[in-house]
Amino acid sequence: MNIADLQENWDLIVIGGGITGAGILLEASRMGLKVLLVEQNDFASGTSSRSSKLVHGGLRYLKEGRLYLTYLSVRERERLIKEAQGLVEPLNFMTPVYSNRRPGRLSLEAGLRIYDLMSHRRDHKFYGQNEFSMRVPCVKQENLQGGFRFRDAQVDDARLVLRVINEALLSGGFALNYADAVEISRNARGDVAGVVIKESETGETKQILTRAVINATGSWAEKIHPSPDKSLHLRPLRGSHLVFPEWAFPFPEAVTFFHPFDRRPIFIIPWEGAVIYGTTDVDHEKDLSLEPVISKAEISYLMDGINAFFPSLEISLRDALSSYAGVRPVLSRKQLAPSKESREHVVWIDKGLVTITGGKLTTFRKLAADALKAAMPFLPSVKPAGHEPVFRQSPGVFTDDRLSPLLLRRLTGRYGEGAKEILKNPGTDDLSYIPGTNTVWAELRYAAKNETVRHLEDLLLRRVRIGLITPEGGKEHIGRIKTLCSPVLPWDEAKWDAEINKYLEKWRRAHSVTCYPS
Ligand SMILES: Cc1cc2nc3c(=O)[nH]c(=O)nc-3n(C[C@H](O)[C@H](O)[C@H](O)COP(=O)(O)OP(=O)(O)OC[C@H]3O[C@@H](n4cnc5c(N)ncnc54)[C@H](O)[C@@H]3O)c2cc1C
């Protein structure tokens, strides 16, 4: 679908194709509303593909006394683990305790107990020095008392957005990527009447009519609707990660430690066959229309952290596969230290325009519910959303002798019904793993055919994540990817060449770390 094919009248337009907009689209379409989501770039191309990929309560928020946010997040985590198996999966964390560093054993134990109480399960354990060191080899030994294991969960953030959007399409919703909402039109009373949408590449525009608009543009939200509270504004805070191959960290579980400079929690997380390591939290002063990129200072901060806790691993920046950076939509009143700023969300209502921003990936359903509640007075009367599982269309249990149960679970979690198509008539070796990843080749062809891929970067950075987790953005695989996807993408040779060049150039600019001294 492109903008010329768009119908002219809608109940609701959602602006922004990150997790917040996707969650709203899903709930609104399930309520029977005629709803369209527009995203100026690719789905999930904003912050929602650049997170730490945790579905978590956030022990840190507990420490800051944000009990409700932690409670909500823990409850959502438990629901998503149940309802989105294969996409949201439990993840064990190990965290070391040192006699000369804070937080100490007692305060961590207290926090983890509250965490457990919130999820109604006992999910943490303390290990003495020897056992902890066996589970986390190479951790710095001096003053080590041992450490805790606790449980959270992880996700592929971009695939969560895509799966939620796909689920919404199955319930009658519509979504368009590369469609920029450039103007909100109002009637004589000042009520929202429509949106002017511009096709991002051709520049073609179209005015469509709607009863209400939800502005779910995250860090961009004040561009569409300035904060009505003069003392509360979005403060874009950048967080960056480095991505390493699995061999760089010889331990099977995720590890979190408190950075020696500022005692912020830092995560080392096995993910998709690689390891992500981060994050930072710094003011992002660049134009939001430019791709956020890790800075030299952030790299030093991250490398200093790892060298303090794992000196014997001798990890160098040269080992890193890639980096990525994202901008948190954080609301600030007092300009506190970045990590002390609240991660709660806000809702602003202005005559049919509802703005929702802030929050976390983990709590996207709460954000969707709050945004829709605020939009209700402007919408036709419909039944309120129930408590349905996030993914209603379950492909059911099916088995396939060619695959391990783990891979089958992964594919059904990520693609829902699409998993069946991925497994239908694969070419020789298409069900084998792309080296160094948990992705099988057949996923690429499925995504290219079915998931509104407009550019090579959509495919390699968001539909699958091999742009982040293989050397040089997967450059060595591009020939095979072209052979695999050419039959399903309407691209001629010139378009393929242009896409490959554009992708590799962007990758070097935004994801490579080789330009920084190691
Ligand atoms: C480094 C980092 C780590 C994080 N880790 C976690 C974590 O582990 N767990 C967790 O729960 N949360 C985490 N978060 C927070 C979480 O990622 C964000 O809260 C969430 O992704 C925000 O989603 P969103 O949809 O509101 O914004 P976005 O994902 O940014 O989506 C907004 C979209 O709106 C689009 N847009 C803007 N203007 C227009 C327009 N005019 N027309 C059309 N489209 C427009 C943008 O292109 C963008 O795609 C992290 C954030 C960062 C930065």
Side-chain angles (χ1 to χ4, degrees):
M1 184 174 58
N2 58 40
I3 73 164
D5 306 324
L6 280 181
Q7 293 177 34
E8 302 218 326
N9 280 287
W10 297 85
D11 293 330
L12 175 66
I13 308 286
V14 180
I15 308 176
I19 191 60
T20 307
I24 296 165
L25 178 73
L26 176 60
E27 289 307 313
S29 48
R30 282 181 175 174
M31 287 158 70
L33 291 166
K34 191 175 166 195
V35 52
L36 168 71
L37 177 150
V38 289
E39 162 56 51
Q40 64 182 0
N41 294 311
D42 186 27
F43 300 129
S45 59
T47 311
S48 299
S49 56
R50 300 154 187 274
S51 75
S52 302
K53 290 127 190 38
L54 297 176
V55 172
H56 65 156
L59 271 178
R60 178 162 72 82
Y61 308 127
L62 207 54
K63 185 172 136 239
E64 287 158 15
R66 299 187 196 283
L67 282 177
Y68 179 66
L69 179 63
T70 318
Y71 174 75
L72 187 71
S73 306
V74 167
R75 306 299 296 171
E76 274 303 301
R77 179 192 74 194
E78 292 306 303
R79 275 190 69 186
L80 287 167
I81 287 174
K82 254 196 230 119
E83 296 172 8
Q85 288 182 10
L87 180 54
V88 178
E89 292 284 14
L91 177 72
N92 276 342
F93 274 96
M94 302 295 292
T95 187
V97 175
Y98 289 91
S99 57
N100 62 339
R101 285 181 197 271
R102 284 193 294 154
R105 179 171 173 178
L106 282 181
S107 56
L108 271 170
E109 172 78 48
L112 290 169
R113 277 191 186 193
I114 300 175
Y115 220 48
D116 282 356
L117 273 176
M118 287 175 170
S119 62
H120 303 306
R121 33 187 313 156
R122 187 174 160 82
D123 253 339
H124 76 275
K125 185 174 174 189
F126 184 81
Y127 295 97
Q129 184 184 0
N130 287 342
E131 205 176 342
F132 187 85
S133 305
M134 274 163 64
R135 294 181 78 127
V136 188
C138 308
V139 68
K140 191 177 121 185
Q141 291 295 309
E142 204 184 334
N143 299 312
L144 179 70
Q145 291 180 309
F148 286 98
R149 173 188 53 72
F150 65 94
R151 173 177 166 277
D152 254 318
Q154 78 177 154
V155 66
D156 177 336
D157 46 6
R159 282 245 49 104
L160 178 67
V161 175
L162 289 157
R163 178 92 204 269
V164 171
I165 289 178
N166 286 336
E167 196 70 17
L169 303 188
L170 292 170
S171 297
F174 290 82
L176 205 56
N177 53 356
Y178 295 98
D180 191 354
V182 287
E183 192 186 319
I184 293 176
S185 45
R186 292 179 183 264
N187 62 21
R189 287 195 310 275
D191 299 328
V192 161
V195 179
V196 178
I197 297 176
K198 183 166 127 194
E199 150 69 42
S200 301
E201 281 152 357
T202 61
E204 186 189 344
T205 59
K206 177 163 182 164
Q207 157 115 40
I208 51 178
L209 304 178
T210 183
R211 293 168 181 245
V213 172
I214 298 184
N215 167 19
T217 55
S219 303
W220 287 261
E222 284 203 74
K223 290 194 188 301
I224 291 180
H225 191 268
S227 168
D229 176 345
K230 294 286 167 276
S231 64
L232 183 76
H233 291 286
L234 276 165
R235 177 179 179 190
L237 292 174
R238 188 174 64 244
S240 302
H241 292 80
L242 293 168
V243 183
F244 287 92
E246 206 173 41
W247 56 256
F249 295 95
F251 28 85
E253 288 158 313
V255 170
T256 177
F257 60 84
F258 296 86
H259 197 286
F261 292 174
D262 54 9
R263 292 202 283 124
R264 289 182 53 251
I266 307 287
F267 303 107
I268 303 171
I269 306 170
W271 183 72
E272 285 289 292
V275 173
I276 57 177
Y277 170 54
T279 175
T280 57
D281 204 354
V282 296
D283 278 302
H284 181 71
E285 272 140 14
K286 302 253 164 59
D287 187 334
L288 283 176
S289 62
L290 303 172
E291 183 81 8
V293 175
I294 192 168
S295 69
K296 215 169 150 182
E298 289 172 279
I299 290 183
S300 302
Y301 171 90
L302 290 175
M303 295 310 290
D304 286 343
I306 212 139
N307 289 327
F309 282 87
F310 297 95
S312 64
L313 287 180
E314 295 184 355
I315 291 185
S316 137
L317 191 57
R318 271 193 298 270
D319 300 325
L321 293 167
S322 70
S323 67
Y324 64 89
V327 182
R328 297 178 181 85
V330 167
L331 287 136
S332 174
R333 194 178 291 283
K334 296 189 195 140
Q335 294 278 314
L336 303 170
S339 295
K340 299 259 181 303
E341 295 283 14
S342 163
R343 268 45 173 172
E344 319 258 350
H345 63 276
V346 291
V347 178
W348 302 324
I349 306 169
D350 176 16
K351 297 185 170 178
L353 171 62
V354 171
T355 295
I356 180 142
T357 186
K360 297 166 59 181
L361 196 81
T362 306
T363 52
F364 75 95
R365 287 197 286 192
K366 169 72 174 151
L367 269 74
D370 287 358
L372 282 166
K373 192 168 161 208
M376 236 8 121
F378 312 100
L379 295 170
S381 110
V382 283
K383 67 173 173 46
H387 289 281
E388 282 189 59
V390 64
F391 300 137
R392 193 199 292 167
Q393 314 278 336
S394 157
V397 182
F398 66 99
T399 54
D400 192 306
D401 294 342
R402 295 165 298 176
L403 304 185
S404 68
L406 204 65
L407 178 54
L408 207 51
R409 181 179 167 106
R410 179 178 181 282
L411 293 178
T412 51
R414 278 169 172 70
Y415 302 94
E417 282 287 339
K420 286 183 182 156
E421 190 180 328
I422 293 177
L423 300 177
K424 215 188 286 167
N425 307 323
T428 320
D429 261 2
D430 285 356
L431 292 180
S432 63
Y433 288 106
I434 299 173
T437 77
N438 296 346
T439 308
V440 294
W441 292 98
E443 290 176 56
L444 283 154
R445 194 206 311 245
Y446 171 82
K449 182 176 169 203
N450 298 291
E451 295 192 322
T452 55
V453 166
R454 294 274 290 270
H455 296 289
L456 191 57
E457 70 154 277
D458 305 343
L459 185 62
L460 302 189
L461 289 174
R462 289 174 289 275
R463 303 304 179 280
V464 302
R465 315 306 296 273
I466 66 172
L468 295 178
I469 58 178
T470 57
E472 293 184 80
K475 189 175 171 188
E476 66 170 306
H477 302 306
I478 286 182
R480 179 159 178 187
I481 292 166
K482 186 175 164 193
T483 310
L484 195 64
C485 299
S486 284
V488 294
L489 283 172
W491 298 356
D492 60 16
E493 279 297 317
K495 168 82 172 162
W496 268 104
D497 286 348
E499 285 296 330
I500 293 169
N501 288 335
K502 197 170 132 200
Y503 167 70
L504 292 176
E505 196 279 318
K506 177 171 179 179
W507 188 88
R508 272 189 290 273
R509 202 168 12 95
H511 299 293
S512 139
V513 283
T514 48
C515 51
Y516 298 97
S518 46

